[in-house]
Amino acid sequence: MHTHTLRTKYTFGDRVRFNSHTQGIEGTGKIFAITVDSEGQIDYIVDIGRGEYSELQNGIYEDEIISLV
């Protein structure tokens, strides 16, 4: 079994605002997941609350996010 440790600017549950030119979307939500690819690129999946249900937006990069804390 492998153990990986990485430092990210945001963590699970952080409330954030994002404006993603790569995904063509902007909004607010909570960090739901953090993805790291084989090249070491980090991106986030943001849970966007939509009333009675949630929508997950993937592929949001750190430089497209600001904290709402």
Side-chain angles (χ1 to χ4, degrees):
M1 175 183 283
H2 301 285
T3 300
H4 298 279
T5 303
L6 62 128
R7 295 185 188 269
T8 60
K9 188 172 180 179
Y10 305 100
T11 193
F12 307 106
D14 284 357
R15 295 219 14 92
V16 297
R17 176 178 305 283
F18 63 92
N19 185 356
S20 176
H21 298 288
T22 57
Q23 299 297 325
I25 189 170
E26 62 182 71
T28 59
K30 292 182 182 178
I31 300 296
F32 179 80
I34 302 168
T35 306
V36 182
D37 66 18
S38 63
E39 307 260 327
Q41 177 69 38
I42 298 170
D43 65 74
Y44 297 83
I45 298 174
V46 179
D47 181 357
I48 305 167
R50 299 280 191 207
E52 294 185 22
Y53 67 94
S54 292
E55 178 181 331
L56 299 178
Q57 178 61 51
N58 65 329
I60 308 297
Y61 296 112
E62 279 187 350
D63 64 349
E64 300 176 324
I65 298 174
I66 59 170
S67 178
L68 291 179
V69 178

